[in-house]
């Protein structure tokens, strides 16, 4: 068992796909050992998002993202760019003129183009792929598109325009559409349609990012495989971009657990084992698996969907030790 727990995650998967983690400047210090041993790609958890990197029209704050990129380069890790166009964590100025009125389509397209171009050209050498558009699909009902400001002001072609700007800014970058709940049958069809439009309009897209904010109960292995089959039928690559495995069903608001129960630990191990088996089986299609965090001591799920509730969604525990789930992921024939 000790030998198994000593393995390196990314070395074990070297012949399959790179293994990534979302990080911030604090985490590249506090979780440095784990990062260097187990991960060969990073994403910025928050510091490449519009609101942080481009908070005002003429103000850019690149330094935290630069610090992460420098760390990756110094340690020969790849960098995923996350994310250019999203409805969340985008500052209000983007949608307003200097009198506080909503801008028109042309102004917003110019701002979109400038943002994408500056971001992608700055990190051209270091960032190999980008989540160009994040979460544009509507979860429920017949509408395909989320009613975001991007959608309302520009129209549904905001997605194509974003990908066109991205292709032009860095023709070598691999371009992804990224979303959550990809495995829900109706949403998977919407995402398929969004990607198909991009594919049909001059091959603007290279891959679909399935975020992978899953839990120990769902989605089912079959739904994961069906979704990968559906998306890859477009000739696109797939990355799992934000993997974590919550101990709670999404609807479950309980706060009763101070530590995970044996049953939770067992279920999590079983689920991680099963999904990594699927990822290995789809090695020709899956070109990266990134966790949304490194170890259980620092995870956004401690505040989502229930504020202040501890969760344990990753492969390393709060003391940075490999969990049983880790063993089940690195031990295979
Ligand atoms: C979404 C975004 C991520 C992150 C998570 C929650 O999945 O794509 O950037 O904000 O939510 O942390």
């Amino acid at each position: 068992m000790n030998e198994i727990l000593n393995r390196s995650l990314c070395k074990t998967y070297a012949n399959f796909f790179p293994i990534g983690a979302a990080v911030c400047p604090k985490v590249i210090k506090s979780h440095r050992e784990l990062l260097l041993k187990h991960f060969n790609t990073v994403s910025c958890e928050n510091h490449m998002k519009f609101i942080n990197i481009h908070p005002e029209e003429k103000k850019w704050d690149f330094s935290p993202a630069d610090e992460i990129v420098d760390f990756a380069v110094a340690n020969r890790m790849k960098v995923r760019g996350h994310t250019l166009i999203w409805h969340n964590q985008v500052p209000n100025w983007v949608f307003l003129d200097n009198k506080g009125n909503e801008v028109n389509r042309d102004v917003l397209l110019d701002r979109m183009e400038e943002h994408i171009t500056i971001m992608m050209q700055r990190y051209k050498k270091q960032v190999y792929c980008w989540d160009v558009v994040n979460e544009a699909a509507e979860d429920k009902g017949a509408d395909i598109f989320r009613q975001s400001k991007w959608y309302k002001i520009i129209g549904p072609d905001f997605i194509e325009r974003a990908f066109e700007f991205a292709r032009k800014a860095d023709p070598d970058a691999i371009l992804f559409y990224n979303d959550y709940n990809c495995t829900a049958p109706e949403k998977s069809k919407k995402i398929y349609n969004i990607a198909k439009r991009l594919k049909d309009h001059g091959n603007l897209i290279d891959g679909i990012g399935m975020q992978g904010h899953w839990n120990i109960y769902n989605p089912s292995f079959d739904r994961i495989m069906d979704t990968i089959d559906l998306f890859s039928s477009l000739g696109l690559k797939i990355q799992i971009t934000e993997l974590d495995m919550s101990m709670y069903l999404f609807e479950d608001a309980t706060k009763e657990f101070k530590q995970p129960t044996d049953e939770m630990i067992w279920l999590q191990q079983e689920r991680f084992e099963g999904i990594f088996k699927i990822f290995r089986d789809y090695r020709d299609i899956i070109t990266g698996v990134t966790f949304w965090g490194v170890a259980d001591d620092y995870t956004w799920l401690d505040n989502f969907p229930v504020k202040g509730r501890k969760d344990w969604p990753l492969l390393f525990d709060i003391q940075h030790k490999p969990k049983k789930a880790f063993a089940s992921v690195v031990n295979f024939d």
Side-chain angles (χ1 to χ4, degrees):
M1 193 62 176
N2 264 344
E3 183 275 317
I4 293 171
L5 291 179
N6 269 330
R7 290 182 189 167
S8 148
L9 186 54
C10 65
K11 286 197 181 131
T12 306
Y13 278 86
N15 293 328
F16 292 91
F17 34 72
I19 302 280
V23 297
C24 60
K26 211 170 124 210
V27 162
I28 57 178
K29 295 173 197 98
S30 56
H31 294 62
R32 183 180 167 87
E33 254 180 68
L34 285 181
L35 284 165
L36 296 187
K37 175 165 179 183
H38 296 285
F39 298 88
N40 48 9
T41 134
V42 292
S43 304
C44 291
E45 184 184 13
N46 284 303
H47 291 94
M48 283 189 181
K49 290 176 181 169
F50 214 132
I51 200 160
N52 292 321
I53 208 157
H54 193 180
E56 292 166 31
E57 188 165 8
K58 303 270 175 259
K59 186 176 160 205
W60 291 80
D61 183 7
F62 293 115
S63 51
D66 285 356
E67 199 182 328
I68 292 167
V69 169
D70 291 347
F71 165 82
V73 171
N75 294 293
R76 289 194 290 278
M77 295 162 121
K78 290 154 88 90
V79 185
R80 291 195 87 252
H82 175 81
T83 175
L84 296 167
I85 300 300
W86 188 27
H87 65 281
N88 240 331
Q89 292 181 262
V90 51
N92 282 334
W93 72 261
V94 176
F95 307 106
L96 300 175
D97 64 18
N98 52 17
K99 296 200 187 82
N101 298 318
E102 202 161 82
V103 294
N104 63 29
R105 170 182 159 97
D106 291 340
V107 172
L108 190 54
L109 281 171
D110 284 348
R111 288 180 178 177
M112 177 193 261
E113 179 169 18
E114 189 199 31
H115 181 77
I116 290 177
T117 307
I118 291 180
M119 289 292 290
M120 290 186 69
Q121 290 187 346
R122 180 178 184 90
Y123 296 111
K124 211 178 172 76
K125 293 210 181 77
Q126 301 94 345
V127 172
Y128 82 103
C129 72
W130 279 96
D131 292 330
V132 179
V133 174
N134 197 29
E135 304 181 349
E138 179 57 47
D139 282 300
K140 296 259 174 328
D143 288 352
I144 296 186
F145 301 104
R146 177 191 296 278
Q147 299 290 308
S148 69
K149 291 236 167 89
W150 298 107
Y151 174 84
K152 286 192 192 151
I153 299 174
I154 298 174
D157 69 325
F158 88 88
I159 303 178
E160 276 110 280
R161 298 287 86 77
F163 276 81
E164 274 167 15
F165 298 145
R167 263 292 185 252
K168 199 164 136 214
D170 181 0
D172 296 327
I174 303 170
L175 305 184
F176 281 84
Y177 172 81
N178 193 49
D179 215 326
Y180 65 94
N181 271 354
C182 290
T183 55
E186 25 169 59
K187 195 165 175 190
S188 68
K189 289 192 200 107
K190 297 179 189 183
I191 294 170
Y192 172 91
N193 286 330
I194 289 174
K196 185 163 190 320
R197 268 173 76 131
L198 289 164
K199 185 86 194 169
D200 293 346
H201 284 74
N203 243 344
L204 292 171
I205 185 174
D206 304 304
I208 298 182
M210 295 171 58
Q211 291 186 359
H213 294 296
W214 293 332
N215 62 57
I216 57 176
Y217 306 102
N218 62 55
S220 71
F221 296 147
D222 281 348
R223 277 308 305 155
I224 294 173
M225 289 187 283
D226 288 350
T227 308
I228 298 173
D229 288 338
L230 177 70
F231 293 166
S232 61
S233 71
L234 287 167
L236 297 173
K237 297 296 184 195
I238 306 291
Q239 292 198 355
I240 311 300
T241 53
E242 305 184 18
L243 182 61
D244 44 25
M245 190 74 72
S246 171
M247 294 294 195
Y248 306 98
L249 275 173
F250 188 73
E251 312 69 50
D252 183 356
T254 182
K255 279 187 154 186
E256 79 183 271
F257 301 103
K258 297 287 165 267
Q259 23 198 5
T261 63
D262 288 349
E263 192 195 352
M264 288 171 170
I265 292 170
W266 185 81
L267 280 172
Q268 190 181 53
Q269 170 181 358
E270 208 193 25
R271 295 269 299 156
F272 267 122
E273 181 175 346
I275 62 170
F276 271 84
K277 162 124 190 20
I278 296 174
F279 300 162
R280 291 193 301 272
D281 289 346
Y282 282 92
R283 63 198 282 180
D284 293 339
I285 290 164
I286 293 183
T287 59
V289 174
T290 287
F291 289 82
W292 208 244
V294 183
D296 286 347
D297 58 323
Y298 176 79
T299 162
W300 74 295
L301 291 172
D302 286 350
N303 286 303
F304 184 86
V306 178
K307 211 166 171 29
R309 175 185 65 184
K310 187 70 201 129
D311 204 340
W312 303 272
L314 297 160
L315 294 182
F316 300 94
D317 70 15
I318 54 172
Q319 286 160 333
H320 298 194
K321 300 265 184 308
K323 294 159 58 174
K324 287 194 177 126
F326 172 86
S328 73
V329 166
V330 295
N331 190 22
F332 57 87
D333 306 320

